[in-house]
Amino acid sequence: MLTGGIIVVASFAYVGLLFAIAAYGDKRADAGRSLIANPYIYALSLAVYCTSWTFYGSVGRAATSGIGFLPIYLGPTLMAALWWFLLLKMIRISKANRITSIADFVASRYGKSQLLGGLVTIIAVIGIIPYIALQLKAISTSFSIILHYPGVAMPEKLGTQLFIGDNTFYIAMMLAAFTILFGTRHLDVTERHEGLVAAIAFESVVKLVAFIAVGLFVTYGMYNGFTDIFQRARENPQLHALMAEGGESGSYTSWASLTLLSMFAILFLPRQFQIAVVENVDERHLNKAIWLFPLYLLAINIFVLPIALGGLLHFPAGGVDADTFMLTLPIAEKQIWIAGLAFIGGLSAATGMVIVETIALSTMVCNDLVMPVLLRLRWLRLTERRDLSRLLLGIRRGAIVGILTLGYIYFYLAGEAYALVSIGLISFSAVAQFAPAIIGGMFWKGGNRLGAICGLSAGFLIWLYTLLLPSFAKSGWLPITFLSHGLGGMELLKPQQLFGLQGLDEISHCLFWSLFANIGLYITVSLLRRPDASEHGQAALFVDAYRQSPEAGSRFWRGSASINDLLALLGRFLGPARAHEALAEYAQQRHVQSMESIPADADTVHHAESLLAGAIGNASARVMIASVVEEEPLDIDEVMHIIDEASQVLAYSRQLEHQSRELEAATNDLRSANLRLQELDRLKDDFISTVTHELRTPLTSIRAFTEILRDNPKLPDAQRENFLGIVIRESERLTRLINQVLDLSKIESGNTAWQSIQFDMRDVIHESAAAVGQLFRDSGVTLTLELPDDAPEIVADRDRVMQVMMNLLSNAAKFCASGEGRVVVKLTHEAQALRVDAIDNGVGISVEDQAVIFDKFRQVGDTLTEKPKGSGLGLAISRQIIEHLGGRLWVTSQPGAGATFSFTLSLLAADVRPA
Amino acid sequence: MSLPHAVRTEQRGQRLAALFLLGCLLFNYPLLQLFARDGTLFGIPLLYCYVFGAWAALIGLMALVVERHERE
């Protein structure tokens, strides 16, 4: 038997550990070495989403509906993929406008409306109360179950006595005390609590570890792994149905509406907004959280089904609530440590939720509900009090106690009638009402204040009527005829079959009607009514959040103020010391000497307003600032003008940016064109110097021999003949060279006239062989032709092809050894081309040379020591010709083993290209 | 040549949106209906296997999109 004392001590020790972590986190934050400035802590703190609903309730849900518990985690996974669009923008907007809560966000978007802020706060508080009741129920149930260790006993009806004498009430008050200590120790202008976030991240680790520990124990300790549990459950006729379908509430409609609900919940639950937006240190942390957070959800859900099925198998008689399997299974197996760990894990899940949720709600209650009212009550003379910061803290603490008390009362009234998950879903449905106003407000400038008010109110009233009131009726606190016969006996008004709509579960039913009214009114009213000036300005700030400078808000203000008034005002709400500090910092930013010399212009007023907004919310800050400065109200045309102006400036700068990009691209193009020109220029110079060199060699010898002939008239006739022969041959070479250069330049410039004649390639080969026959005979090289019996005729410039053929043959003859040289010419018919190979067994060409022999004036061999055997233009011209005719000319060779020059000519008539 | 930062950021947004749509398909009627039948895979009921498998795969793809972008 465990005594209550041990459990209480353990619980306190655990909470003490949390305090230690929070205190350490705060200390590190003050020292400027933030503990939470990394994406892993951010993702873990987001897991405050997993409450005792997840820890105890999922198992209970799974025991009745199989995988029906999963949409609550699949929705956030899907939404995480959209965080990139939605959450990032919310973070940007909130940082730029010093927004500290979801109510502040909505109020701020629709013209800093106090009415909207208050409305959102009321919806949030009433909507979240069942959710807090759920945590209280879970803690109090788990407490009373573990108290009975080693017996497995269900708690008797909880909360038989209201307040005094009920454990749950003490638990609620204890949680209130923790929350006050955690969250409202001092007033912070940014509403950020680094220590708290660190503690929440730690709690996320604890609950995950505890859940997995229980899961492993049940799966591998009590059974032989997953397969074993599922096998046994399949053999059980009652459990078999859970395997293949969603069970009673697992219809696809309810599956889809739960997914949608949880998608909204992960963005708009006040505690998720607090952690994801307000406590966000660096928006880049979002990147990793996009997949780490869903991964956490996956991990904490892996063992839900085994535990649920294991529990159902272990307690076949019923009598044990499936919501308690996390505890009762280890207890039944007498595993005190595992049961204790499960208890602490559940405590983690519940306290994390309660602390963050009530802090977020208390900020909203204080800033958007109580302060606006108090400031309006003139007889309180609040506006004349010197320091209101203590009052603000007091209101928040009161709000925390109040919210937890309300949660306790709901638990007392309606807690018994529902399973954990069903209670939580009531809250999710309330929070979903924020979706149209927020998402619409971030992407649609047309949405206005009246539209948001109408939509939110209608959605909230329908939620109240179709979901919250029925929960009271089911618990017996309202007459049950309200459910069965409708309000006042009118069948059409039956709360869960509104207007006769049947066939939906209560959540889908409420979601449909409430969102129908909400979205419908938001859009219709927004379209019908023209927004006023302040709404216009704020709409632009929100929708164009990515394009605004941080000071954009000050554009919409005009008037005069005195710096001392502002200082006094700030001092009243932040405390005089903090106000001095903040303005001194601002003076530095503006590069002015002292606080007194800060110009009291629009920027300064805007800065003061945003400082104040951090403490009392945007809507109240607006009112307070207006009370100390003289404003000239802007009319709608002026606001439109400012927005226009801003967007024009923006358009100009876009255009400039665009043009400068184009300029840069053009510069790059020019630079590369210039490089190409320089390269061409260099090539031309090379070409000219090579040509001149090639021309000079024969000219020199001609000149030398003619001089000898002139100076020595008495030369013997034989020698004279010889010299004259050289002169003639060199002149011929010169002519040939000049012809080839002209030829090449003509081909390259495209000035050659190309003829298209149909001819037989075999004839061309025969003729070329005959033409160079003398050369082959002189050098003692044998020439063999291997021609097919039949070859298709081609259409090309016959003379040019012949020129190439002769060039290849004479090259082959030149590089073959005299006597044993053999050259083979082969003609083959390929798919769509004729291929000619000229194969020799000469010296061959090295790989490096193969790459360059088709360049102009490149000759194989050492041109310094050997007499060149050609002009070095033949192959270059040949390749130009073949490529012009649509074919290819290439060489394959191995040094010492001869070379094969091959070319192809296309058989397609299309390749006849007249130049 | 690496693309400008803005283009890559936009590309990531589009990839994540595509994954969102994929997830909507995977976790809804009628794909779920395909697996809501009697049968096991590795001894685990088919439907459970499918939902958890698809879930893990989706998270893996999201990680891939985000982390690849980070590295670039």
Side-chain angles (χ1 to χ4, degrees):
Chain A
M1 184 80 184
L2 270 176
T3 62
I6 298 177
I7 299 163
V8 172
V9 168
S11 309
F12 271 93
Y14 174 70
V15 176
L17 180 62
L18 287 187
F19 273 117
I21 292 171
Y24 180 61
D26 279 336
K27 213 177 95 188
R28 287 277 297 259
D30 291 339
R33 291 178 303 135
S34 176
L35 198 59
I36 66 166
N38 72 71
Y40 303 98
I41 300 287
Y42 182 64
L44 277 176
S45 63
L46 282 173
V48 72
Y49 180 74
C50 298
T51 65
S52 33
W53 167 341
T54 307
F55 201 82
Y56 294 117
S58 282
V59 175
R61 182 84 168 184
T64 56
S65 66
I67 58 167
F69 72 99
L70 269 184
I72 301 304
Y73 308 96
L74 295 176
T77 303
L78 294 178
M79 188 46 100
L82 291 188
W83 274 354
W84 184 246
F85 298 96
L86 293 173
L87 190 52
L88 186 65
K89 195 163 187 180
M90 283 165 77
I91 293 175
R92 285 269 173 95
I93 292 171
S94 301
K95 295 222 162 129
N97 297 285
R98 296 251 184 173
I99 285 167
T100 55
S101 71
I102 197 104
D104 213 7
F105 193 92
V106 178
S108 191
R109 160 65 179 82
Y110 297 101
K112 304 193 177 176
S113 154
Q114 286 188 323
L115 183 60
L116 254 177
L119 182 62
V120 170
T121 305
I122 291 174
I123 297 177
V125 171
I126 297 181
I128 295 301
I129 280 169
Y131 205 173
I132 289 175
L134 181 166
Q135 314 302 326
L136 294 178
K137 179 180 176 182
I139 297 182
S140 114
T141 311
S142 66
F143 186 76
S144 90
I145 285 178
I146 201 163
L147 208 56
H148 284 90
Y149 182 88
V152 174
M154 282 300 101
E156 293 153 25
K157 167 132 176 61
L158 293 160
T160 37
Q161 276 176 292
L162 190 57
F163 299 119
I164 312 299
D166 183 359
N167 280 339
T168 315
F169 178 66
Y170 295 116
I171 292 172
M173 289 305 108
M174 215 105 79
L175 283 173
F178 295 153
T179 311
I180 287 170
L181 283 172
F182 262 117
T184 59
R185 276 173 302 170
H186 56 82
L187 203 63
D188 186 37
V189 278
T190 54
E191 284 301 333
R192 290 195 45 233
H193 315 77
E194 292 225 342
L196 175 73
V197 174
I200 294 299
F202 174 74
E203 293 215 284
S204 293
V205 175
V206 171
K207 64 196 179 202
L208 182 62
V209 168
F211 202 103
I212 289 180
V214 175
L216 286 173
F217 168 70
V218 172
T219 314
Y220 293 98
M222 296 175 61
Y223 299 88
N224 295 320
F226 289 97
T227 325
D228 182 40
I229 290 188
F230 288 127
Q231 185 57 37
R232 290 204 213 179
R234 281 166 63 80
E235 285 159 8
N236 184 320
Q238 282 167 331
L239 300 188
H240 191 259
L242 285 181
M243 304 283 152
E245 52 196 89
E248 47 180 287
S249 58
S251 78
Y252 294 109
T253 323
S254 107
W255 176 284
S257 53
L258 291 190
T259 311
L260 186 67
L261 261 189
S262 56
M263 282 173 65
F264 291 148
I266 194 66
L267 278 183
F268 306 135
L269 274 172
R271 70 170 188 284
Q272 295 302 140
F273 189 87
Q274 179 79 27
I275 292 287
V277 178
V278 181
E279 308 281 359
N280 175 278
V281 184
D282 183 342
E283 63 184 38
R284 280 172 300 182
H285 293 169
L286 198 59
N287 289 335
K288 272 216 163 36
I290 282 179
W291 62 274
L292 275 176
F293 173 64
L295 193 63
Y296 183 97
L297 295 180
L298 178 70
I300 206 167
N301 277 302
I302 284 177
F303 286 106
V304 169
L305 284 161
I307 295 173
L309 295 173
L312 289 173
L313 289 167
H314 198 269
F315 304 111
V320 176
D321 186 357
D323 276 350
T324 67
F325 282 167
M326 286 293 290
L327 274 174
T328 45
L329 282 174
I331 290 178
E333 293 289 308
K334 310 281 180 287
Q335 295 287 336
I336 180 66
W337 289 109
I338 305 245
L341 187 58
F343 175 76
I344 294 290
L347 191 66
S348 265
T351 50
M353 181 275 180
V354 171
I355 291 170
V356 184
E357 198 83 87
T358 44
I359 287 177
L361 285 177
S362 73
T363 309
M364 287 159 66
V365 168
C366 170
N367 290 354
D368 294 288
L369 208 57
V370 180
M371 281 314 284
V373 175
L374 291 187
L375 291 173
R376 269 163 204 255
L377 298 177
R378 297 198 181 279
W379 51 268
L380 279 178
R381 295 177 179 279
L382 271 191
T383 40
E384 290 161 29
R385 287 258 287 270
R386 279 190 55 78
D387 186 353
L388 288 172
S389 57
R390 298 191 60 81
L391 176 71
L392 287 174
L393 278 179
I395 293 173
R396 284 177 195 198
R397 289 171 183 158
I400 290 172
V401 175
I403 290 163
L404 276 163
T405 310
L406 283 174
Y408 168 70
I409 293 175
Y410 184 86
F411 158 76
Y412 181 78
L413 292 181
E416 291 297 309
Y418 283 90
L420 292 177
V421 170
S422 312
I423 301 177
L425 285 175
I426 298 178
S427 293
F428 272 25
S429 309
V431 167
Q433 304 309 321
F434 300 146
I438 293 180
I439 298 179
M442 282 198 296
F443 296 97
W444 182 40
K445 281 187 200 166
N448 63 33
R449 175 161 53 213
L450 196 63
I453 290 175
C454 291
L456 272 173
S457 315
F460 174 62
L461 289 176
I462 290 178
W463 169 80
L464 208 65
Y465 188 72
T466 58
L467 219 49
L468 190 70
L469 295 184
S471 81
F472 289 129
K474 284 180 188 172
S475 314
W477 291 91
L478 281 176
I480 196 73
T481 52
F482 166 66
L483 264 186
S484 54
H485 293 93
L487 190 67
M490 286 167 68
E491 288 282 320
L492 275 186
L493 293 182
K494 280 208 285 196
Q496 304 207 317
Q497 289 175 17
L498 200 59
F499 307 124
L501 182 67
Q502 292 183 18
L504 289 177
D505 63 293
E506 57 181 43
I507 299 293
S508 309
H509 173 266
C510 164
L511 194 65
F512 171 74
W513 281 122
S514 60
L515 283 186
F516 178 76
N518 190 336
I519 297 174
L521 280 174
Y522 174 65
I523 293 178
T524 313
V525 175
S526 291
L527 289 177
L528 289 179
R529 195 184 145 275
R530 204 167 170 240
D532 68 24
S534 64
E535 291 177 67
H536 247 302
Q538 290 298 106
L541 282 184
F542 273 55
V543 176
D544 300 331
Y546 290 132
R547 293 187 269 152
Q548 305 281 356
S549 64
E551 287 79 30
S554 60
R555 292 200 315 259
F556 300 113
W557 189 85
R558 203 165 55 200
S560 60
S562 100
I563 200 75
N564 285 329
D565 289 347
L566 289 174
L567 181 62
L569 178 68
L570 288 176
R572 288 219 299 278
F573 288 96
L574 308 178
R578 302 283 311 249
H580 260 275
E581 206 177 294
L583 275 192
E585 208 172 284
Y586 180 65
Q588 268 188 347
Q589 269 178 35
R590 294 284 299 258
H591 306 291
V592 290
Q593 290 273 312
S594 68
M595 217 181 306
E596 285 71 33
S597 44
I598 298 175
D601 57 10
D603 278 332
T604 308
V605 172
H606 181 69
H607 185 76
E609 186 177 331
S610 66
L611 280 174
L612 209 50
I616 60 173
N618 271 293
S620 300
R622 183 87 283 278
V623 176
M624 292 317 298
I625 288 287
S627 72
V628 298
V629 302
E630 280 179 33
E631 285 188 44
E632 294 171 35
L634 294 181
D635 65 24
I636 181 105
D637 294 329
E638 284 175 290
V639 172
M640 294 302 282
H641 183 68
I642 294 171
I643 294 175
D644 272 0
E645 221 168 58
S647 54
Q648 266 173 21
V649 170
L650 208 69
Y652 284 142
S653 86
R654 287 259 169 75
Q655 218 175 333
L656 262 176
E657 220 173 278
H658 184 68
Q659 281 174 348
S660 83
R661 262 203 305 275
E662 274 180 351
L663 251 172
E664 204 175 319
T667 316
N668 278 339
D669 284 354
L670 278 176
R671 191 173 297 134
S672 62
N674 191 29
L675 277 179
R676 218 168 49 240
L677 275 177
Q678 280 175 354
E679 170 70 12
L680 282 176
D681 196 42
R682 197 183 57 75
L683 282 178
K684 190 200 71 189
D685 286 350
D686 282 358
F687 182 73
I688 287 174
S689 74
T690 322
V691 168
T692 2
H693 175 76
E694 294 290 328
L695 291 176
R696 207 165 52 202
T697 322
L699 268 179
T700 314
S701 64
I702 290 170
R703 181 166 163 215
F705 283 111
T706 43
E707 273 173 3
I708 294 172
L709 288 173
R710 188 194 63 196
D711 297 344
N712 303 294
K714 289 179 188 147
L715 271 179
D717 277 356
Q719 206 161 8
R720 180 182 297 265
E721 284 278 306
N722 187 15
F723 285 177
L724 281 173
I726 292 176
V727 168
I728 289 168
R729 272 202 306 282
E730 289 296 313
S731 316
E732 277 169 359
R733 189 169 144 210
L734 206 53
T735 317
R736 208 163 52 234
L737 188 67
I738 290 169
N739 281 340
Q740 282 186 336
V741 169
L742 287 176
D743 201 17
L744 188 66
S745 79
K746 246 162 57 182
I747 296 177
E748 279 185 342
S749 63
N751 284 336
T752 324
W754 296 82
Q755 291 167 328
S756 292
I757 303 167
Q758 194 168 11
F759 61 92
D760 188 334
M761 191 63 205
R762 287 175 300 178
D763 295 345
V764 173
I765 295 175
H766 276 298
E767 280 175 42
S768 321
V772 293
Q774 191 56 45
L775 182 64
F776 276 80
R777 279 190 291 278
D778 288 351
S779 51
V781 177
T782 50
L783 175 62
T784 323
L785 304 183
E786 292 181 9
L787 306 180
D789 295 335
D790 186 37
E793 296 201 322
I794 55 171
V795 178
D797 190 319
R798 194 177 189 278
D799 292 344
R800 289 293 185 182
V801 175
M802 183 129 162
Q803 184 185 349
V804 172
M805 202 60 234
M806 283 167 64
N807 180 260
L808 293 184
L809 287 177
S810 56
N811 273 351
K814 274 183 226 160
F815 290 100
C816 277
S818 183
E820 58 210 30
R822 280 217 333 274
V823 174
V824 180
V825 176
K826 250 205 261 188
L827 177 67
T828 41
H829 181 189
E830 289 191 338
Q832 284 175 337
L834 280 182
R835 171 173 167 163
V836 180
D837 297 296
I839 307 155
D840 67 56
N841 63 346
V843 291
I845 304 161
S846 71
V847 180
E848 302 89 70
D849 285 337
Q850 284 176 31
V852 297
I853 48 167
F854 293 103
D855 291 352
K856 295 163 205 162
F857 298 110
R858 287 305 185 104
Q859 306 208 16
V860 179
D862 192 340
T863 40
L864 288 180
T865 54
E866 294 169 30
K867 189 178 184 312
K869 296 181 181 175
S871 63
L873 283 175
L875 280 175
I877 292 175
S878 298
R879 176 171 265 193
Q880 290 274 357
I881 292 172
I882 293 295
E883 282 178 358
H884 185 93
L885 293 175
R888 215 159 63 79
L889 171 64
W890 72 96
V891 64
T892 45
S893 169
Q894 284 195 328
T900 302
F901 282 85
S902 316
F903 66 89
T904 56
L905 283 173
S906 174
L907 289 172
L908 297 177
D911 284 300
V912 183
R913 293 182 297 178
Chain B
M1 192 174 131
S2 70
L3 290 163
H5 184 72
V7 174
R8 279 188 292 123
T9 305
E10 198 184 306
Q11 199 176 37
R12 166 165 62 166
Q14 287 171 2
R15 286 178 183 167
L16 285 171
L19 285 180
F20 167 77
L21 294 177
L22 173 70
C24 289
L25 274 179
L26 288 179
F27 300 127
N28 258 313
Y29 182 84
L31 278 183
L32 283 178
Q33 177 76 59
L34 277 185
F35 297 90
R37 63 171 73 161
D38 207 9
T40 57
L41 190 66
F42 313 118
I44 295 169
L46 200 57
L47 185 61
Y48 301 176
C49 233
Y50 165 71
V51 174
F52 277 94
W55 193 6
L58 192 67
I59 294 172
L61 287 174
M62 282 157 71
L64 201 68
V65 168
V66 173
E67 296 300 315
R68 246 180 67 177
H69 179 93
E70 292 280 282
R71 273 207 309 280
E72 283 166 8

